[in-house]
Amino acid sequence: MIGALPYRAIWVLDFEFVAQNGEHPIPVCMVGHELISGRWVRLWQGDFSEPPFPLDESTLFVTFSAAAEWSCFIALGWPMPARCIDLYAEFIRSQNGAHDDHWYPSLLSTAAFFGIDTMGTDHKGVMRDLILGGGPWSPAEQVDILKYCAADVAATTKILHALEPCITTNDLSLGGALLRGRYTCAVARMEWHGLPVDVEVLTRLLGGWDAIKLQLIADIDQQYGMFDGTRFVTQRFEAWVAKAGIPWPRLPSGRLAQDDETFSERAKTYPQVMPLHELRRSLGKMRLRGLAVGTDGRCRSSLMPFGSKTSRNQPSTSRSVFGAARWMRSLLKPGPGRALAYVDWVSQEIAIAAALSGDKVLWQAYESGDPYMAFAIQAGLVPANATKATHKAERQRAKSLVLGVGYGMGAEGLAASAGIHIDEARDLLMRHKYTYRRFWEWATLNQNAGLLGLQLQTTFGWTWQAGTGTKVNPRSLLNWPMQANGAEMMRLACSLLTEQGVMVCCPVHDALLVEGPIDDIDFIIAATRAAMERASTLVLGAGYVVKTDVEVVAHPNRYRDEAGGDMWDRVMTILGHQGVDTGTVLVAPTDTKTVPVVC
DNA sequence: TCTATATCACCC
DNA sequence: AAACGGGTGATATAGA
């Protein structure tokens, strides 16, 4: 029972707030219900000067989609609560794997799931419009809004009671719930900070978006005439293929295959395809128009924590910089006196696989710093003194295999992706299974357990369990422990760092973007790496340190992604802004030094 | 003209 | 039937 837990008070909370794309939320009102005393608190704008409850460990807070509430706390200058549970996270955890469809349950649909009576969605829509209208609200409207907010608190309370058995099943489920709640505070901080964007260049870029596409097309399409404006007309392509006499693969639907790989493959035999292939590749990177940038030049969008079945964040790819093609990361530019650092875990999933399976040989490969070459050596494919320089091709094949294995790739897929014969692919897979026996034992055990309907669980209690009659992809089960524990590691690192006061702009699955004054950035990086290493040992066990790598950029430079640099330059040239400084990324040493930081 | 579907490309 | 995990979203085309 939640009530039996050692808390002096248990507050169920809900805020109403005005939220505009890319801006900070503006709290309108708050309703709280304390479950032990039965007390209700209703605060309207203007009554917010002090939190009406203690925020220390003695008090538990319960909300639905908690990050929104903590964003309001930040807006009001209130400290984060020390203990909280997000029922959204707990509900989707309880349902994870039980259904074929992936969905983002709302408060109302969650209530409906448990048969809890609530207001209708129509009324909710009306009230939401009234609130988002931004006011001012008449006294009668204020009463209505507070009533509406209180109704959500009542529904949240009932959902808490419905979910209690899932949350209090055991120490891990409860501790995990508190840990996930703790992360929602970090989410609020990160969403509050957002990412620094070069608004001037972004404005020009968006203004010239179609012109840029048309210019890219114009350079190439004059010899094909396949585009109508920015639209690729498939019928013209079909006619061209027929006229040029190029045998072209078709999809089961009968349409011509138009994916990148088909173009790439055809271009090898028919060189006249190549320019078209390259054009389509460039155009593919020209997407994203809806970056959510606030008036302060920071890009903010919801991280959608716990949005996937591995519990990774699932932010919108159109509203956030890291969902866009890599070249657009050059829109990231620290302000005067500021610096940004992108710190990522090196081969995080391999490390997780090695540590959690207890495969010493795989961990040894990870620790060597080059797990691909290490595999080639351990599997007897190359001599023990082989290096990246001496056995480039062998290493590349080993890399394809090692990466693919994590996703459950088979021999056919490996042969296709690595461009090798099926027999060689089979041989590589067999060697992998032989070399990393312990890992395979562990992985197939997980896989079989999942297929049998048993529950999979991460170190801190995120779960997945197949519902009866659901479709299960066995390869998904193979990868789930790596990805889900990786997500847990990320959450821990975000919590540790935001609690230390480090400005974390956002997580990127296996990386964190942090920011600070140029003079402090070295210390911030050291603290970030230390927290990420600590998070890795917390998830994987003592001694299992996942290494980190870092890229730094300081004002007036802009971020530059190696893989996207050329595209950025092309686009800037077309925009006629060659004067825009493209900046340089200073790459810090990749060795990991432990820096004493209190976590 | 609008919407649904299939396909494809991007991210980690 | 497919055989590479987790995702979001834009676009072209078919259909209403």
Side-chain angles (χ1 to χ4, degrees):
Chain A
M1 285 285 289
I2 288 280
L5 297 173
Y7 296 104
R8 256 180 256 148
I10 299 171
W11 282 96
V12 180
L13 279 194
D14 189 43
F15 273 85
E16 301 305 327
F17 53 92
V18 180
Q20 281 181 325
N21 207 17
E23 305 294 347
H24 290 140
I26 302 164
V28 173
C29 70
M30 186 205 87
V31 173
H33 180 209
E34 203 284 295
L35 301 185
I36 296 169
S37 65
R39 194 175 145 218
W40 285 81
V41 167
R42 294 173 175 80
L43 298 181
W44 188 260
Q45 283 178 324
D47 305 328
F48 280 140
S49 55
E50 288 290 322
F53 26 56
L55 293 162
D56 63 10
E57 297 79 5
S58 70
T59 308
L60 176 68
F61 290 87
V62 179
T63 79
F64 191 92
S65 264
E69 267 57 59
W70 316 142
S71 293
C72 289
F73 272 42
I74 297 170
L76 298 171
W78 296 1
M80 290 288 120
R83 297 284 182 269
C84 62
I85 289 177
D86 180 0
L87 295 181
Y88 172 78
E90 299 317 303
F91 178 58
I92 53 179
R93 184 187 84 100
S94 75
Q95 295 300 315
N96 199 24
H99 313 277
D100 277 333
D101 294 339
H102 185 238
W103 89 119
Y104 295 97
S106 63
L107 177 70
L108 289 194
S109 64
T110 304
F113 180 90
F114 290 115
I116 297 164
D117 219 18
T118 58
M119 76 188 84
T121 46
D122 292 352
H123 181 60
K124 188 158 187 103
V126 169
M127 294 308 294
R128 203 183 44 219
D129 290 346
L130 177 63
I131 294 159
L132 291 180
W137 299 276
S138 70
E141 286 173 333
Q142 294 185 20
V143 170
D144 282 350
I145 291 172
L146 278 166
K147 257 166 88 177
Y148 161 74
C149 191
D152 277 355
V153 172
T156 306
T157 305
K158 289 178 182 165
I159 291 170
L160 169 63
H161 292 314
L163 277 170
E164 257 189 56
C166 300
I167 295 169
T168 58
T169 313
N170 52 40
D171 287 351
L172 182 56
S173 62
L174 180 63
L178 290 166
L179 202 52
R180 290 184 283 277
R182 187 176 160 194
Y183 174 64
T184 62
C185 297
V187 169
R189 290 261 183 239
M190 295 186 285
E191 290 178 354
W192 182 268
H193 293 318
L195 288 63
V197 159
D198 186 334
V199 178
E200 194 206 331
V201 174
L202 173 64
T203 307
R204 287 195 230 151
L205 187 59
L206 294 182
W209 199 260
D210 283 340
I212 295 164
K213 278 178 142 183
L214 287 170
Q215 185 61 52
L216 288 168
I217 292 165
D219 290 345
I220 309 271
D221 192 50
Q222 41 186 320
Q223 52 175 308
Y224 299 99
M226 249 170 238
F227 283 81
D228 175 16
T230 58
R231 202 173 70 96
F232 183 75
V233 184
T234 308
Q235 284 164 349
R236 294 188 197 168
F237 174 56
E238 182 125 25
W240 179 82
V241 166
K243 198 174 164 210
I246 303 173
W248 200 279
R250 285 179 187 275
L251 298 167
S253 64
R255 284 157 70 169
L256 291 175
Q258 289 175 45
D259 59 295
D260 187 61
E261 210 182 303
T262 302
F263 268 92
S264 174
E265 187 275 322
R266 289 285 80 183
K268 280 181 200 152
T269 318
Y270 302 92
Q272 66 267 46
V273 174
M274 188 52 94
L276 191 58
H277 171 46
E278 283 169 355
L279 172 58
R280 287 177 56 93
R281 294 213 80 180
S282 303
L283 288 173
K285 297 182 196 310
M286 293 293 293
R287 49 190 200 104
L288 176 87
R289 310 214 47 170
L291 271 197
V293 181
T295 44
D296 60 354
R298 315 266 322 177
C299 177
R300 293 187 185 85
S301 59
S302 170
L303 291 174
M304 303 296 281
F306 312 103
S308 79
K309 54 190 173 191
T310 60
S311 80
R312 271 187 177 182
N313 302 316
Q314 222 45 252
S316 157
T317 55
S318 69
R319 286 192 287 274
S320 65
V321 177
F322 284 95
R326 301 174 76 110
W327 66 271
M328 263 180 273
R329 290 179 192 185
S330 285
L331 286 169
L332 292 174
K333 183 175 173 178
R338 311 282 294 173
L340 278 174
Y342 183 90
V343 189
D344 67 322
W345 277 292
V346 178
S347 301
Q348 189 199 38
E349 290 194 13
I350 295 174
I352 294 170
L356 294 186
S357 68
D359 191 318
K360 299 274 191 304
V361 186
L362 186 52
W363 182 257
Q364 200 188 333
Y366 177 72
E367 284 224 297
S368 77
D370 186 349
Y372 315 123
M373 202 71 237
F375 165 66
I377 294 168
Q378 288 167 334
L381 294 160
V382 294
N385 61 358
T387 66
K388 208 169 175 174
T390 60
H391 293 75
K392 200 176 169 190
E394 288 85 347
R395 181 180 179 277
Q396 189 53 47
R397 286 199 285 276
K399 185 175 177 179
S400 296
L401 170 78
V402 170
L403 291 177
V405 155
Y407 300 144
M409 188 187 255
E412 285 86 355
L414 175 62
S417 72
I420 57 178
H421 192 272
I422 181 78
D423 289 335
E424 188 182 355
R426 286 204 187 98
D427 177 66
L428 281 171
L429 263 173
M430 198 198 68
R431 284 172 190 265
H432 192 276
K433 288 179 183 174
Y434 183 77
T435 307
Y436 306 125
R437 271 165 292 186
R438 187 77 185 266
F439 160 74
W440 278 99
E441 218 169 86
W442 172 81
T444 45
L445 206 65
N446 284 325
Q447 191 174 36
N448 291 334
L451 289 169
L452 287 167
L454 302 175
Q455 190 183 62
L456 301 187
Q457 189 160 262
T458 62
T459 301
F460 291 108
W462 187 256
T463 55
W464 185 95
Q465 186 167 23
T468 44
T470 52
K471 279 180 290 191
V472 180
N473 180 343
R475 292 173 301 284
S476 167
L477 292 168
L478 211 59
N479 181 252
W480 190 90
M482 275 78 98
Q483 209 180 108
N485 280 291
E488 211 145 63
M489 203 183 283
M490 175 276 296
R491 287 198 292 276
L492 271 170
C494 291
S495 297
L496 292 170
L497 284 162
T498 53
E499 287 162 15
Q500 284 176 63
V502 170
M503 184 175 182
V504 183
C505 299
C506 67
V508 194
H509 300 308
D510 66 348
L512 301 182
L513 186 72
V514 293
E515 179 182 341
I518 292 175
D519 290 344
D520 298 343
I521 198 68
D522 288 341
F523 178 76
I524 290 168
I525 289 167
T528 303
R529 301 179 85 164
M532 289 170 77
E533 288 167 15
R534 178 159 161 74
S536 70
T537 58
L538 286 171
V539 172
L540 303 183
Y544 287 110
V545 174
V546 183
K547 290 177 247 191
T548 57
D549 213 344
V550 55
E551 287 186 342
V552 198
V553 59
H555 182 87
N557 294 326
R558 64 183 63 251
Y559 192 90
R560 189 174 172 92
D561 183 276
E562 204 185 322
D566 290 348
M567 183 72 184
W568 173 263
D569 294 341
R570 279 178 73 196
V571 170
M572 287 301 112
T573 304
I574 293 174
L575 258 187
H577 294 308
Q578 296 93 324
V580 170
D581 57 302
T582 47
T584 3
V585 175
L586 313 164
V587 178
T590 57
D591 62 308
T592 355
K593 292 197 185 73
T594 312
V595 174
V597 170
V598 183
C599 289

